[in-house]
Amino acid sequence: AAAAMGLWALALLLGALRPGGASAPARNVLLLLADDGGFESGAYNNSAIQTPNLDALARRSVVFQNAFTSVSSCSPSRASILTGLPQHQNGMYGLHQDVHHFNSFDGVRSLPRLLSQARVRTGIIGKKHVGPEAVYPFDFAYTEENSSVLQVGRNITQIKALVRQFLQSQDERPFFLYVAFHDPHRCGHSQPQYGAFCEKFGNGESGMGWIPDWKPQLYRPEQVQVPHFVPDTPAARADLAAQYTTIGRMDQGIGLVLEELGHAGFHNSTLVIYTSDNGIPFPSGRTNLYRSGTAEPLLISSPEHTKRWGQVSQAFATLLDLTPTILDWFSIPYPSYSIFGTKRVQLTGKSLLPALESEQPWATAFSSQSHHEVTMYYPMRAIQHQQFRLIHNLNYKMPFPIDQDFYISPTFQDLLNRTRAGQPTHWNKTLHQYYYRDRWELFDCSRDPTESQNLAPDPRYAAIFQLLRTQLLKWQWDTGDPWVCAPDAVLEKKLSPQCRPLHNEL
């Protein structure tokens, strides 16, 4: 028995040795996710808002300037983050909750499944919003499925306690902890008593409850920075001011989580990633595949890659890169398998760890959206390559749909009222232009940062248009996109060519 124990100890020791021979410290990952967060932070040059904790994290991170979500909707984005597969490939075509009821395919090998199989302990605190459970299992879970989403997603004192509980119960395995804040999501549709962004939740006023660790920061409408794609109106400014207060709460929560990590002794072994699931919940933001709806903050802080701390990277990153990055950090290979038929699943994302060593030439990002709410069927596919963004609006003859949450927002109600009354909207487009889009939209984001001038019909850009269209189509085929032939053909896999024309006058 002693000999067997000795062999077992030797195996453990050898397992801990890297090829270089030096003993490898345990590696962990902490993923911090904002809910509908944007660039409202000092780290991204917004001087109107106070975000000391994000700013401090940025000083220990590579700050990505060209990071994009692959889909501008909550559940599809979270599923893409946790699988490395776009929504049309993982099956999470729209929102997971209630009547929407979208789920990923049973055969998908998600990040939490792969980590668990490789003996990495997994934890989630906050908003999960994906399913089924068998595809997204976590060893430690406090989410809307077993708790109040306000308590586990916005009450930063509760989040701090749950992070402490997770870290104190940590065994010898490495860990992946996913803290998914519900801030700064809108709240007027679900809990209007707490304000448009739940900015009053836990502020200590009568009936609002009290979050002991939160020191609310209040902003005046005239203080905020209005993004170029949001109407500059008193209503929108007041909306943004409320959003800033909830971003402040999340920022303080991030500070508490990182403090817990340090107290537990894990700060020198943990890769920390901060990003957001989709664009901000304003016109041209969330649910849109414009740059304004897909560009995300992305901070990656590695204790092993200190030489680029505080540096800005122009390399393109997408949230489809997070699964390959985390697998790379843990040295776990991606399995060979198929979801349907015999076609092998290939990750189209890449590990971002090389960008922590030196600047990378990456310059392409893909996006794919089919639904948000179940009624909001407006499939779009997009590619950003260098400064050019091409969007394919498959159902372009339909008006662009509006979600319930955004519809009742002060910003959108004001926009509707001004449009109906024929008053100036102080917006960079009309409601009609927003609803009715061209089939193909091509923008030069360097010359036209507001994405106002569609270059797709311009013959001078025909070569660029064709190049991007070809790249986009190849990605759709590579990722098994069921929409690859739409809207003017039908996919028939057993025929050649597979896209059979409909002659439907499109």
Side-chain angles (χ1 to χ4, degrees):
M5 281 301 286
L7 281 173
W8 183 71
L10 181 66
L12 272 182
L13 180 65
L14 289 174
L17 291 176
R18 286 272 171 86
S23 178
R27 282 178 152 196
N28 310 298
V29 173
L30 171 64
L31 173 58
L32 303 164
L33 190 69
D35 198 354
D36 298 355
F39 297 96
E40 306 79 18
S41 66
Y44 282 96
N45 303 319
N46 184 326
S47 54
I49 191 169
Q50 305 280 300
T51 53
N53 297 289
L54 277 172
D55 300 353
L57 179 61
R59 289 192 289 274
R60 301 192 305 277
S61 301
V62 172
V63 179
F64 288 83
Q65 294 289 353
N66 287 300
F68 302 93
T69 179
S70 69
V71 52
S72 195
S73 171
C74 183
S75 302
S77 180
R78 286 154 201 268
S80 297
I81 290 169
L82 292 175
T83 63
L85 308 175
Q87 58 84 24
H88 63 247
Q89 189 175 21
N90 74 56
M92 186 70 73
Y93 300 145
L95 298 180
H96 175 60
Q97 86 283 11
D98 302 339
V99 297
H100 315 298
H101 200 252
F102 286 102
N103 283 279
S104 287
F105 300 125
D106 295 339
V108 170
R109 309 265 185 104
S110 72
L111 180 65
R113 269 182 73 180
L114 297 176
L115 294 180
S116 217
Q117 286 160 4
R119 287 191 46 73
V120 174
R121 182 174 178 233
T122 59
I124 179 172
I125 297 165
K127 182 170 172 179
K128 187 175 184 184
H129 217 211
V130 292
E133 171 67 27
V135 172
Y136 298 103
F138 285 86
D139 300 326
F140 177 101
Y142 286 85
T143 70
E144 75 279 1
E145 293 181 2
N146 60 8
S147 314
S148 150
V149 73
L150 293 181
Q151 294 301 331
V152 296
R154 299 194 197 253
N155 180 344
I156 60 176
T157 298
Q158 174 78 355
I159 292 166
K160 174 185 79 171
L162 289 169
V163 169
R164 183 175 298 176
Q165 189 186 324
F166 176 82
L167 295 175
Q168 284 181 347
S169 58
Q170 181 55 21
D171 51 31
E172 77 292 343
R173 291 175 294 173
F175 68 77
F176 166 67
L177 178 59
Y178 171 35
V179 180
F181 292 91
H182 195 19
D183 285 330
H185 194 283
R186 285 192 181 279
C187 175
H189 174 61
S190 49
Q191 298 99 2
Q193 68 273 28
Y194 297 122
F197 280 89
C198 274
E199 70 278 5
K200 297 174 190 166
F201 173 69
N203 69 3
E205 290 174 11
S206 173
M208 294 296 111
W210 182 51
I211 300 172
D213 287 289
W214 182 36
K215 294 165 190 66
Q217 299 144 290
L218 302 177
Y219 294 87
R220 296 190 310 278
E222 60 272 21
Q223 287 178 292
V224 303
Q225 284 183 14
V226 182
H228 67 79
F229 53 91
V230 174
D232 193 347
T233 57
R237 283 178 168 273
D239 227 4
L240 288 163
Q243 181 211 30
Y244 278 26
T245 295
T246 59
I247 288 166
R249 180 168 56 208
M250 178 188 70
D251 179 76
Q252 291 175 37
I254 286 170
L256 295 172
V257 171
L258 293 175
E259 210 172 275
E260 290 300 323
L261 195 72
H263 287 327
F266 292 114
H267 57 293
N268 286 331
S269 58
T270 303
L271 182 75
V272 179
I273 303 171
Y274 166 77
T275 188
S276 173
D277 56 349
N278 46 246
I280 62 174
F282 285 87
S284 299
R286 185 184 69 193
T287 76
N288 287 272
L289 291 193
Y290 298 126
R291 188 183 175 103
S292 50
T294 56
E296 302 303 334
L298 178 63
L299 308 177
I300 303 187
S301 175
S302 165
E304 297 178 25
H305 303 81
T306 56
K307 70 176 191 204
R308 289 204 80 195
W309 277 9
Q311 287 187 22
V312 164
S313 173
Q314 299 300 333
F316 277 40
T318 104
L319 300 191
L320 293 174
D321 298 334
L322 295 188
T323 281
T325 301
I326 293 165
L327 291 175
D328 186 17
W329 178 257
F330 286 122
S331 303
I332 298 170
Y334 192 71
S336 173
Y337 76 103
S338 59
I339 298 171
F340 298 114
T342 55
K343 186 178 164 67
R344 292 271 165 242
V345 174
Q346 303 268 294
L347 292 178
T348 55
K350 73 254 171 213
S351 170
L352 298 173
L353 296 185
L356 307 186
E357 302 265 1
S358 59
E359 188 63 359
Q360 299 298 316
W362 307 321
T364 309
F366 296 98
S367 301
S368 163
Q369 184 143 335
S370 299
H371 288 265
H372 179 63
E373 292 164 0
V374 68
T375 54
M376 293 173 63
Y377 180 58
Y378 197 85
M380 301 173 280
R381 301 294 182 264
I383 173 175
Q384 172 116 15
H385 180 65
Q386 294 168 347
Q387 75 265 39
F388 292 102
R389 171 168 292 259
L390 179 68
I391 302 170
H392 186 193
N393 298 308
L394 279 67
N395 284 20
Y396 66 102
K397 294 199 176 206
M398 293 266 290
F400 186 79
I402 304 294
D403 64 273
Q404 297 166 329
D405 188 48
F406 173 53
Y407 180 81
I408 61 164
S409 70
T411 299
F412 190 70
Q413 283 299 311
D414 180 64
L415 184 55
L416 278 182
N417 293 339
R418 286 169 178 270
T419 301
R420 284 169 56 205
Q423 294 172 341
T425 59
H426 305 287
W427 191 31
N428 67 351
K429 57 182 76 170
T430 66
L431 204 49
H432 180 87
Q433 289 169 326
Y434 189 65
Y435 286 147
Y436 295 99
R437 307 180 178 192
D438 295 327
R439 177 171 172 182
W440 295 97
E441 296 182 283
L442 175 65
F443 303 108
D444 180 342
C445 297
S446 59
R447 289 186 179 174
D448 175 27
T450 62
E451 298 170 289
S452 304
Q453 193 184 353
N454 183 9
L455 304 172
D458 188 329
R460 290 173 300 175
Y461 290 88
I464 294 274
F465 178 33
Q466 215 38 58
L467 172 74
L468 266 59
R469 193 174 166 175
T470 303
Q471 275 185 280
L472 180 59
L473 203 59
K474 180 185 183 303
W475 179 73
Q476 289 183 260
W477 284 111
D478 289 347
T479 53
D481 186 355
W483 282 263
V484 68
C485 302
D488 40 20
V490 169
L491 176 59
E492 295 288 355
K493 289 189 174 164
K494 291 190 164 57
L495 302 180
S496 179
Q498 294 187 342
C499 288
R500 311 305 288 188
L502 282 164
H503 305 293
N504 58 6
E505 299 166 42
L506 293 183

